[in-house]
Amino acid sequence: MAFLKRYSTPGSAARLTPRRLGAWCKKQGYSGRKPADVLIERLRSAPAAASRLSETVVARLVRVQVQLVQSIRATTRTLDKAIAEAIETHPYAPLFATMPRIGNVSLGQVTGEIGPLLERAQTSEQLIAEAGVVPVTRASGKSRTVAFRFAANRRAPVA
């Protein structure tokens, strides 16, 4: 994003040299996996746009798109923090937090979908059935299939 913000058009990136690009990448914290001369070669070999827009219009459009992406990323970070804070105080979170490979966002989704089912269910079998994790066997003649129950809260098994 920082590169597009600074070099928003091919014309603005045309004056880059491998040395300047390498210094800029190092300043931005780039890992250096690809050397600067390879990156410059990729920039130079990119096809030219068949556009009638002036370079200033293209630069403005690219900057607006970069701002949109940065805004979406900031909103996502804010929502992740809000989910983490809400999960810390939820009474069912410790119960679901012991599940393997569950992070804050997944924990929030599981708590939001299965938490209300826990409040309604009288038995564990009822909870499992409402969550859609009950296998159903169907047999007809020689064929026999086993699938999960479809008449259930569809978001709960996904969570």
Side-chain angles (χ1 to χ4, degrees), residues 121-144:
Q122 303 296 323
T123 64
S124 61
E125 289 81 14
Q126 182 185 358
L127 172 67
I128 291 169
E130 285 196 40
V133 191
V134 175
V136 176
T137 304
R138 294 187 182 124
S140 174
K142 293 182 179 180
S143 67
R144 181 175 167 261

PDB file of all heavy atoms in Angstrom, residues 121-144:
ATOM      1  N   ALA A 121     -31.262 -25.128  25.307  1.00  0.00           N
ATOM      2  CA  ALA A 121     -31.220 -26.587  25.362  1.00  0.00           C
ATOM      3  C   ALA A 121     -31.409 -27.107  26.787  1.00  0.00           C
ATOM      4  O   ALA A 121     -30.840 -26.571  27.731  1.00  0.00           O
ATOM      5  CB  ALA A 121     -29.901 -27.091  24.789  1.00  0.00           C
ATOM      6  N   GLN A 122     -32.190 -28.158  26.897  1.00  0.00           N
ATOM      7  CA  GLN A 122     -32.410 -28.816  28.191  1.00  0.00           C
ATOM      8  C   GLN A 122     -31.399 -29.934  28.421  1.00  0.00           C
ATOM      9  O   GLN A 122     -31.032 -30.219  29.546  1.00  0.00           O
ATOM     10  CB  GLN A 122     -33.831 -29.404  28.252  1.00  0.00           C
ATOM     11  CG  GLN A 122     -34.925 -28.376  28.027  1.00  0.00           C
ATOM     12  CD  GLN A 122     -34.959 -27.319  29.118  1.00  0.00           C
ATOM     13  OE1 GLN A 122     -34.727 -27.625  30.275  1.00  0.00           O
ATOM     14  NE2 GLN A 122     -35.209 -26.077  28.729  1.00  0.00           N
ATOM     15  N   THR A 123     -30.966 -30.581  27.317  1.00  0.00           N
ATOM     16  CA  THR A 123     -30.006 -31.683  27.417  1.00  0.00           C
ATOM     17  C   THR A 123     -28.911 -31.473  26.382  1.00  0.00           C
ATOM     18  O   THR A 123     -29.064 -30.685  25.446  1.00  0.00           O
ATOM     19  CB  THR A 123     -30.691 -33.039  27.142  1.00  0.00           C
ATOM     20  OG1 THR A 123     -31.161 -33.050  25.787  1.00  0.00           O
ATOM     21  CG2 THR A 123     -31.851 -33.284  28.102  1.00  0.00           C
ATOM     22  N   SER A 124     -27.836 -32.223  26.547  1.00  0.00           N
ATOM     23  CA  SER A 124     -26.751 -32.107  25.578  1.00  0.00           C
ATOM     24  C   SER A 124     -27.162 -32.662  24.224  1.00  0.00           C
ATOM     25  O   SER A 124     -26.724 -32.164  23.188  1.00  0.00           O
ATOM     26  CB  SER A 124     -25.504 -32.833  26.090  1.00  0.00           C
ATOM     27  OG  SER A 124     -25.779 -34.208  26.268  1.00  0.00           O
ATOM     28  N   GLU A 125     -28.034 -33.677  24.207  1.00  0.00           N
ATOM     29  CA  GLU A 125     -28.514 -34.224  22.935  1.00  0.00           C
ATOM     30  C   GLU A 125     -29.324 -33.180  22.163  1.00  0.00           C
ATOM     31  O   GLU A 125     -29.221 -33.071  20.946  1.00  0.00           O
ATOM     32  CB  GLU A 125     -29.370 -35.480  23.166  1.00  0.00           C
ATOM     33  CG  GLU A 125     -28.580 -36.695  23.619  1.00  0.00           C
ATOM     34  CD  GLU A 125     -28.280 -36.691  25.117  1.00  0.00           C
ATOM     35  OE1 GLU A 125     -28.897 -35.897  25.868  1.00  0.00           O
ATOM     36  OE2 GLU A 125     -27.413 -37.466  25.528  1.00  0.00           O
ATOM     37  N   GLN A 126     -30.120 -32.404  22.869  1.00  0.00           N
ATOM     38  CA  GLN A 126     -30.900 -31.353  22.217  1.00  0.00           C
ATOM     39  C   GLN A 126     -29.976 -30.281  21.653  1.00  0.00           C
ATOM     40  O   GLN A 126     -30.181 -29.795  20.542  1.00  0.00           O
ATOM     41  CB  GLN A 126     -31.892 -30.737  23.204  1.00  0.00           C
ATOM     42  CG  GLN A 126     -32.761 -29.666  22.575  1.00  0.00           C
ATOM     43  CD  GLN A 126     -33.664 -28.975  23.588  1.00  0.00           C
ATOM     44  OE1 GLN A 126     -33.670 -29.307  24.764  1.00  0.00           O
ATOM     45  NE2 GLN A 126     -34.410 -27.998  23.117  1.00  0.00           N
ATOM     46  N   LEU A 127     -28.950 -29.913  22.395  1.00  0.00           N
ATOM     47  CA  LEU A 127     -27.986 -28.928  21.916  1.00  0.00           C
ATOM     48  C   LEU A 127     -27.298 -29.420  20.650  1.00  0.00           C
ATOM     49  O   LEU A 127     -27.178 -28.684  19.669  1.00  0.00           O
ATOM     50  CB  LEU A 127     -26.947 -28.625  22.997  1.00  0.00           C
ATOM     51  CG  LEU A 127     -25.771 -27.762  22.548  1.00  0.00           C
ATOM     52  CD1 LEU A 127     -26.232 -26.358  22.222  1.00  0.00           C
ATOM     53  CD2 LEU A 127     -24.691 -27.750  23.592  1.00  0.00           C
ATOM     54  N   ILE A 128     -26.867 -30.662  20.661  1.00  0.00           N
ATOM     55  CA  ILE A 128     -26.180 -31.227  19.493  1.00  0.00           C
ATOM     56  C   ILE A 128     -27.113 -31.269  18.300  1.00  0.00           C
ATOM     57  O   ILE A 128     -26.724 -30.959  17.172  1.00  0.00           O
ATOM     58  CB  ILE A 128     -25.619 -32.628  19.840  1.00  0.00           C
ATOM     59  CG1 ILE A 128     -24.476 -32.495  20.848  1.00  0.00           C
ATOM     60  CG2 ILE A 128     -25.161 -33.362  18.598  1.00  0.00           C
ATOM     61  CD1 ILE A 128     -24.031 -33.798  21.450  1.00  0.00           C
ATOM     62  N   ALA A 129     -28.379 -31.617  18.530  1.00  0.00           N
ATOM     63  CA  ALA A 129     -29.343 -31.679  17.434  1.00  0.00           C
ATOM     64  C   ALA A 129     -29.610 -30.293  16.859  1.00  0.00           C
ATOM     65  O   ALA A 129     -29.668 -30.119  15.640  1.00  0.00           O
ATOM     66  CB  ALA A 129     -30.642 -32.312  17.920  1.00  0.00           C
ATOM     67  N   GLU A 130     -29.778 -29.289  17.714  1.00  0.00           N
ATOM     68  CA  GLU A 130     -30.041 -27.937  17.218  1.00  0.00           C
ATOM     69  C   GLU A 130     -28.835 -27.354  16.503  1.00  0.00           C
ATOM     70  O   GLU A 130     -28.975 -26.535  15.604  1.00  0.00           O
ATOM     71  CB  GLU A 130     -30.464 -27.028  18.368  1.00  0.00           C
ATOM     72  CG  GLU A 130     -31.877 -27.287  18.818  1.00  0.00           C
ATOM     73  CD  GLU A 130     -32.416 -26.163  19.670  1.00  0.00           C
ATOM     74  OE1 GLU A 130     -32.141 -24.996  19.351  1.00  0.00           O
ATOM     75  OE2 GLU A 130     -33.100 -26.469  20.645  1.00  0.00           O
ATOM     76  N   ALA A 131     -27.649 -27.761  16.896  1.00  0.00           N
ATOM     77  CA  ALA A 131     -26.437 -27.284  16.227  1.00  0.00           C
ATOM     78  C   ALA A 131     -26.209 -28.004  14.902  1.00  0.00           C
ATOM     79  O   ALA A 131     -25.355 -27.600  14.124  1.00  0.00           O
ATOM     80  CB  ALA A 131     -25.230 -27.464  17.132  1.00  0.00           C
ATOM     81  N   GLY A 132     -26.961 -29.075  14.645  1.00  0.00           N
ATOM     82  CA  GLY A 132     -26.843 -29.773  13.372  1.00  0.00           C
ATOM     83  C   GLY A 132     -25.703 -30.744  13.305  1.00  0.00           C
ATOM     84  O   GLY A 132     -25.226 -31.082  12.236  1.00  0.00           O
ATOM     85  N   VAL A 133     -25.251 -31.256  14.438  1.00  0.00           N
ATOM     86  CA  VAL A 133     -24.118 -32.159  14.455  1.00  0.00           C
ATOM     87  C   VAL A 133     -24.574 -33.596  14.671  1.00  0.00           C
ATOM     88  O   VAL A 133     -23.802 -34.465  15.007  1.00  0.00           O
ATOM     89  CB  VAL A 133     -23.111 -31.732  15.550  1.00  0.00           C
ATOM     90  CG1 VAL A 133     -21.803 -32.485  15.433  1.00  0.00           C
ATOM     91  CG2 VAL A 133     -22.835 -30.247  15.454  1.00  0.00           C
ATOM     92  N   VAL A 134     -25.862 -33.858  14.474  1.00  0.00           N
ATOM     93  CA  VAL A 134     -26.406 -35.196  14.658  1.00  0.00           C
ATOM     94  C   VAL A 134     -26.380 -35.912  13.317  1.00  0.00           C
ATOM     95  O   VAL A 134     -26.952 -35.433  12.339  1.00  0.00           O
ATOM     96  CB  VAL A 134     -27.850 -35.128  15.191  1.00  0.00           C
ATOM     97  CG1 VAL A 134     -28.463 -36.501  15.279  1.00  0.00           C
ATOM     98  CG2 VAL A 134     -27.875 -34.444  16.526  1.00  0.00           C
ATOM     99  N   PRO A 135     -25.737 -37.083  13.250  1.00  0.00           N
ATOM    100  CA  PRO A 135     -25.775 -37.827  11.995  1.00  0.00           C
ATOM    101  C   PRO A 135     -27.143 -38.477  11.793  1.00  0.00           C
ATOM    102  O   PRO A 135     -27.774 -38.930  12.743  1.00  0.00           O
ATOM    103  CB  PRO A 135     -24.679 -38.876  12.164  1.00  0.00           C
ATOM    104  CG  PRO A 135     -24.492 -39.002  13.618  1.00  0.00           C
ATOM    105  CD  PRO A 135     -24.890 -37.710  14.244  1.00  0.00           C
ATOM    106  N   VAL A 136     -27.582 -38.489  10.551  1.00  0.00           N
ATOM    107  CA  VAL A 136     -28.857 -39.097  10.192  1.00  0.00           C
ATOM    108  C   VAL A 136     -28.564 -40.165   9.152  1.00  0.00           C
ATOM    109  O   VAL A 136     -27.915 -39.906   8.145  1.00  0.00           O
ATOM    110  CB  VAL A 136     -29.833 -38.040   9.608  1.00  0.00           C
ATOM    111  CG1 VAL A 136     -31.117 -38.698   9.157  1.00  0.00           C
ATOM    112  CG2 VAL A 136     -30.096 -36.954  10.621  1.00  0.00           C
ATOM    113  N   THR A 137     -29.050 -41.382   9.426  1.00  0.00           N
ATOM    114  CA  THR A 137     -28.834 -42.494   8.502  1.00  0.00           C
ATOM    115  C   THR A 137     -30.083 -42.682   7.666  1.00  0.00           C
ATOM    116  O   THR A 137     -31.190 -42.763   8.192  1.00  0.00           O
ATOM    117  CB  THR A 137     -28.520 -43.788   9.278  1.00  0.00           C
ATOM    118  OG1 THR A 137     -27.406 -43.551  10.122  1.00  0.00           O
ATOM    119  CG2 THR A 137     -28.204 -44.926   8.334  1.00  0.00           C
ATOM    120  N   ARG A 138     -29.909 -42.759   6.378  1.00  0.00           N
ATOM    121  CA  ARG A 138     -31.016 -43.026   5.459  1.00  0.00           C
ATOM    122  C   ARG A 138     -30.690 -44.302   4.702  1.00  0.00           C
ATOM    123  O   ARG A 138     -29.626 -44.409   4.097  1.00  0.00           O
ATOM    124  CB  ARG A 138     -31.197 -41.865   4.497  1.00  0.00           C
ATOM    125  CG  ARG A 138     -31.649 -40.605   5.178  1.00  0.00           C
ATOM    126  CD  ARG A 138     -31.980 -39.526   4.170  1.00  0.00           C
ATOM    127  NE  ARG A 138     -32.368 -38.322   4.895  1.00  0.00           N
ATOM    128  CZ  ARG A 138     -31.799 -37.147   4.743  1.00  0.00           C
ATOM    129  NH1 ARG A 138     -30.833 -37.009   3.874  1.00  0.00           N
ATOM    130  NH2 ARG A 138     -32.209 -36.123   5.439  1.00  0.00           N
ATOM    131  N   ALA A 139     -31.633 -45.225   4.731  1.00  0.00           N
ATOM    132  CA  ALA A 139     -31.430 -46.501   4.038  1.00  0.00           C
ATOM    133  C   ALA A 139     -32.626 -46.759   3.141  1.00  0.00           C
ATOM    134  O   ALA A 139     -33.776 -46.569   3.547  1.00  0.00           O
ATOM    135  CB  ALA A 139     -31.259 -47.634   5.041  1.00  0.00           C
ATOM    136  N   SER A 140     -32.360 -47.173   1.928  1.00  0.00           N
ATOM    137  CA  SER A 140     -33.406 -47.508   0.988  1.00  0.00           C
ATOM    138  C   SER A 140     -32.879 -48.605   0.080  1.00  0.00           C
ATOM    139  O   SER A 140     -31.959 -48.378  -0.713  1.00  0.00           O
ATOM    140  CB  SER A 140     -33.795 -46.280   0.173  1.00  0.00           C
ATOM    141  OG  SER A 140     -34.709 -46.644  -0.840  1.00  0.00           O
ATOM    142  N   GLY A 141     -33.422 -49.773   0.216  1.00  0.00           N
ATOM    143  CA  GLY A 141     -32.954 -50.887  -0.606  1.00  0.00           C
ATOM    144  C   GLY A 141     -31.518 -51.236  -0.246  1.00  0.00           C
ATOM    145  O   GLY A 141     -31.190 -51.526   0.895  1.00  0.00           O
ATOM    146  N   LYS A 142     -30.650 -51.170  -1.237  1.00  0.00           N
ATOM    147  CA  LYS A 142     -29.247 -51.504  -1.004  1.00  0.00           C
ATOM    148  C   LYS A 142     -28.396 -50.299  -0.627  1.00  0.00           C
ATOM    149  O   LYS A 142     -27.280 -50.456  -0.174  1.00  0.00           O
ATOM    150  CB  LYS A 142     -28.655 -52.153  -2.256  1.00  0.00           C
ATOM    151  CG  LYS A 142     -29.241 -53.501  -2.581  1.00  0.00           C
ATOM    152  CD  LYS A 142     -28.553 -54.088  -3.797  1.00  0.00           C
ATOM    153  CE  LYS A 142     -29.125 -55.451  -4.116  1.00  0.00           C
ATOM    154  NZ  LYS A 142     -28.474 -56.036  -5.289  1.00  0.00           N
ATOM    155  N   SER A 143     -28.912 -49.104  -0.850  1.00  0.00           N
ATOM    156  CA  SER A 143     -28.117 -47.911  -0.562  1.00  0.00           C
ATOM    157  C   SER A 143     -28.344 -47.442   0.876  1.00  0.00           C
ATOM    158  O   SER A 143     -29.444 -47.538   1.417  1.00  0.00           O
ATOM    159  CB  SER A 143     -28.451 -46.788  -1.537  1.00  0.00           C
ATOM    160  OG  SER A 143     -29.763 -46.345  -1.318  1.00  0.00           O
ATOM    161  N   ARG A 144     -27.291 -46.929   1.456  1.00  0.00           N
ATOM    162  CA  ARG A 144     -27.342 -46.415   2.826  1.00  0.00           C
ATOM    163  C   ARG A 144     -26.424 -45.201   2.893  1.00  0.00           C
ATOM    164  O   ARG A 144     -25.258 -45.277   2.497  1.00  0.00           O
ATOM    165  CB  ARG A 144     -26.858 -47.495   3.789  1.00  0.00           C
ATOM    166  CG  ARG A 144     -26.887 -47.090   5.226  1.00  0.00           C
ATOM    167  CD  ARG A 144     -26.505 -48.289   6.101  1.00  0.00           C
ATOM    168  NE  ARG A 144     -26.229 -47.840   7.439  1.00  0.00           N
ATOM    169  CZ  ARG A 144     -25.022 -47.631   7.941  1.00  0.00           C
ATOM    170  NH1 ARG A 144     -23.965 -47.846   7.206  1.00  0.00           N
ATOM    171  NH2 ARG A 144     -24.868 -47.211   9.168  1.00  0.00           N
TER     172      ARG A 144
END
